[in-house]
Amino acid sequence: MAESNKLSLVEFWKAIAIATAIVAVFATIFVWSGFYNVSAQKPHFEVTTWLLAQIRRQSIQYQSNSVPPAPDNLDDAELVTLGAVQYQLGCAACHKAPGWTGSRVGDAMLPAPPPLTWVSEKWSPRELFWIVRNGQKYTGMPAWIAYEREDEVWPLVAFLERLPSLGPDEYRRLTSDRSSTPGFSLSTGRAVIEVCARCHGLPGEPPRSNLVPFLSAQSASYLRRSLEEYQSGTRPSGYMELVASGLDDTTMDALTEVYAAAPPPAPAGEASEDVSRGAKIFSAGLPGQNVPSCAACHTAANPQFPQLAGQTTVFLSTQLQVFRKGIRNGSGYGRIMTTIAERMTDADIDAVSAYLSTLPPGMFGTGSESAP
Ligand code: HEC
Ligand code: HEC
Ligand code: HEC
């Protein structure tokens, strides 16, 4: 009895081995024959489409468990505006937008990028965050260009949450599309600065979101170096890498000179209780933590040290956190700040940022003065 059981077990495994070998032979013939048609013109079999949709849904639901909780200001205009401009520049060509049909490339893709008008009903904010940050394999849906800049993704989610209630006019206003205003012309080179202006405002104007820095008080050489660092990816930012990648040397020179020469905008910051502690940190540093005085460098006329006065609290504190994480230290300049930021607590960062936001932009020098 025991003997025949053993035999049948051996035969069972033999049968499995033979079946596996047959499948492997057919699979090899199938792959090598080129019989399977990878054309984007040939839709998947229905069962493949169904299976892919299940895998995708389960994967997104499971993987998005690691996403931090959504901030409670997702309806904040500062986030929505920045998200809307980025959407127009980086997503609409595939996904279309209110009053805007996108490019015809999307229609020729398989799967075709779906319109996203109602996508916020299908996915939660954290799931949307995960999709926008990670992209999707085998579909053409790209990951966030600067994957390490997790802090940059929420404005896109904020925009997708707002999308169902956006008509074409409101969308055009939000994305600051000036292409029909007088003076706009592709042949005069004004087109590129109109792209920058969608987020930074034109030279001399305030930025359109408090997440975006003003450029007007900075030296041309600091602005120029920043653009090169975005272009090469040594200063990661999904917003800036997208626009900087297409700029040639002449255009970069022209843009940075015209921004550096413009008068700085009016101050935006408001007094808060952090301000007096922040003022101390700025002038004297934090001796107990080995943090040097910020003023020692940031009030000097060295055109490589950016002007900080009057930038918003959220922009300054974000940059300090980015330095602290070590993801803006691709250059020697960044490494100086990484060493300093590593010694600061969240509270120190918030206090000094709040203080700097109350100062008049340009008070330690302007781009036109400090340009070499
Ligand atoms: C090159 C084209 C392309 C670009 C650019 C692109 N996407 Fe996609 N996206 C796709 C495709 C294709 C899919 C569909 C994936 C699928 O069906 O599995 C997709 C899916 C999505 C989804 C999920 C849709 C759903 O119904 O589940 C979201 C959300 C999304 N994209 C947001 C964005 C955002 C935000 C951007 C810009 C930052 C962007 N996409 C840029 C091609 C693109
Ligand atoms: C979609 C919005 C958007 C557009 C369009 C845009 N920027 Fe920016 N820009 C940003 C954001 C956000 C930052 C902060 C990025 C970071 O965290 O490093 C930034 C930062 C910069 C900086 C670094 C400033 C500093 O103080 O460190 C420069 C220089 C700059 N942008 C120039 C430009 C130029 C020139 C253009 C047009 C070709 C442009 N930007 C278009 C959003 C934008
Ligand atoms: C030894 C000189 C030095 C000291 C001291 C210093 N910084 Fe900096 N800081 C720099 C340099 C150089 C950069 C440019 C880094 C780069 O381009 O990546 C910079 C950049 C910054 C930026 C980014 C601004 C922008 O527009 O992107 C912030 C914010 C900043 N510093 C805040 C501070 C604060 C706050 C202190 C004091 C606690 C401080 N720094 C002390 C040299 C210094």
Side-chain angles (χ1 to χ4, degrees), residues 213 218 222 225-226 229 235 281-282 291-298 304-308 311 315-316 319-320 323 328 331 333-334 336-337 340 344 352 356:
Q218 304 294 9
Y222 172 71
R225 174 166 65 77
S226 302
E229 289 177 6
R235 179 172 172 187
I281 299 177
F282 186 73
V291 172
S293 142
C294 321
C297 291
H298 285 286
Q304 294 305 335
F305 298 170
Q307 301 293 334
L308 308 176
Q311 296 284 21
F315 170 72
L316 294 167
Q319 294 307 310
L320 286 166
F323 283 124
R328 185 180 162 183
S331 76
Y333 296 108
I336 300 177
M337 278 308 303
I340 294 173
M344 299 173 77
V352 75
L356 286 163

Side-chain angles (χ1 to χ4, degrees), residues 40 42-44 49 52 56 94-95 105-114 136-141:
K42 294 264 171 225
H44 291 301
T49 309
L52 288 174
R56 180 167 169 265
C94 283
H95 287 290
V105 175
D107 300 338
M109 286 172 66
L110 184 79
Q136 265 164 64
K137 270 189 191 132
Y138 308 123
T139 68
M141 167 66 197

Side-chain angles (χ1 to χ4, degrees), residues 8-18:
S8 62
L9 210 64
V10 170
E11 270 165 6
F12 171 76
W13 285 114
K14 252 194 207 160
I16 295 270
I18 291 169

Side-chain angles (χ1 to χ4, degrees), residues 181-201:
T181 55
F184 178 89
S185 146
L186 285 172
S187 60
T188 60
R190 219 168 132 70
V192 180
I193 206 162
E194 298 285 355
V195 173
C196 314
R198 286 174 171 215
C199 287
H200 291 282

